[in-house]
Amino acid sequence: MASTNKQFHHETEEFLAAMLALQYGDGGQNDSKALADFCVEKANHYGCPLQNAVQLGCGTGGVGYQLAKTFKEVIGVDYCARYLDAAITLQKTGEFRWPTPVSENDAKKPRTENGTITVNIPADVQRDRLTFKQMTWVPNEIPKVDLVLLDFLDRVSNPKAWWLRLWEIVTDNGIVVVISQKFGKDDLSADMEKQFDLLEEQEYQLQNSQGNPKVAMATIWKLKL
């Protein structure tokens, strides 16, 4: 019988191939770079320090490697072991090969050779700036950071568990960026506004692994002082 826990569905070859396409496809001008650039832009706009960051929902590490071009330390957290294995392999070797082809209909995909997905980390990324952790909640061992990016609420089984403790892991001058198709300010405010001020909400356009656009909401939060 198939599991009813949607998190387990991501521990498959098909989901790994799709995540690699999403985070590393299209020659580097992809979802990962766009999201990292968005976060850095917001951090600069709100006077946020650029020392360290954590991404809750790092997948195969694409956004984290882009953030590491700006932040000196980046922690990537995910529950999916298959995604994290790819992220850690990329950190160790700078390359990841996977013998599962992305669908020929995918408009944006990593380079393929003989049915093998090949992903490379750009040479200008300092891979030693990253740490990857497998977690199913916001743990005590995550230090306070200047940027918290939470962008996997739409694929976790208990989304609220991930936003309840965000106030514990962000610095006083830092920001929290939440990206979700399902959870905007109206859904988050009852809990978040106990500890945070909402700085802004705006539409954010994502792309799926087939290159099709989808609209999410981005909310930006800062601790009440």
Side-chain angles (χ1 to χ4, degrees):
M1 178 181 294
S3 172
T4 58
N5 186 336
K6 64 181 179 180
Q7 293 187 183
F8 292 148
H9 299 167
H10 288 263
E11 300 281 0
T12 65
E13 294 180 358
E14 291 78 13
F15 272 98
L16 174 60
M19 182 62 75
L20 289 168
L22 178 68
Q23 294 197 317
Y24 297 98
D26 198 27
Q29 300 301 317
N30 49 31
D31 188 78
S32 296
K33 185 178 186 303
L35 183 50
D37 289 349
F38 176 82
C39 290
V40 172
E41 176 189 348
K42 294 302 179 183
N44 285 324
H45 178 75
Y46 290 110
C48 173
L50 302 175
Q51 292 298 309
N52 48 15
V54 63
Q55 183 188 12
L56 302 176
C58 66
T60 54
V63 179
Y65 287 113
Q66 295 291 336
L67 288 173
K69 295 179 180 180
T70 301
F71 289 86
K72 295 180 179 179
E73 180 184 6
V74 179
I75 300 172
V77 174
D78 211 295
Y79 61 81
C80 181
R82 192 175 290 260
Y83 293 166
L84 290 171
D85 285 345
I88 292 169
T89 298
L90 280 161
Q91 183 180 32
K92 290 179 178 178
T93 68
E95 182 178 80
F96 180 77
R97 294 177 179 269
W98 185 249
T100 302
V102 181
S103 167
E104 292 299 323
N105 294 323
D106 286 350
K108 299 182 181 294
K109 55 189 175 183
R111 179 163 53 93
T112 60
E113 296 178 355
N114 299 322
T116 299
I117 299 170
T118 302
V119 171
N120 298 97
I121 299 301
D124 60 342
V125 174
Q126 298 183 46
R127 303 198 303 270
D128 60 350
R129 291 185 171 187
L130 286 104
T131 302
F132 294 103
K133 297 176 179 289
Q134 184 178 16
M135 301 291 177
T136 56
W137 68 93
V138 177
N140 293 330
E141 56 263 38
I142 292 182
K144 286 183 178 290
V145 297
D146 300 316
L147 168 71
V148 177
L149 170 60
L150 173 60
D151 67 328
F152 73 156
L153 291 176
D154 300 343
R155 65 175 170 92
V156 298
S157 296
N158 186 2
K160 187 173 183 177
W162 286 94
W163 74 64
L164 281 178
R165 295 182 62 190
L166 292 176
W167 64 275
E168 298 181 34
I169 62 170
V170 64
T171 61
D172 289 348
N173 293 317
I175 59 171
V176 173
V177 178
V178 181
I179 307 286
S180 173
Q181 289 183 276
K182 298 179 180 179
F183 301 97
K185 67 177 182 179
D186 293 339
D187 308 286
L188 300 170
S189 291
D191 296 313
M192 293 287 285
E193 288 186 348
K194 296 174 182 177
Q195 305 289 345
F196 290 95
D197 290 319
L198 175 65
L199 299 177
E200 65 173 288
E201 180 183 48
Q202 68 176 78
E203 288 189 352
Y204 181 84
Q205 183 166 297
L206 299 168
Q207 289 184 332
N208 62 20
S209 57
Q210 286 73 42
N212 299 319
K214 55 184 180 179
V215 177
M217 295 306 300
T219 52
I220 318 295
W221 307 82
K222 185 178 178 64
L223 282 175
K224 295 179 182 291
L225 298 178

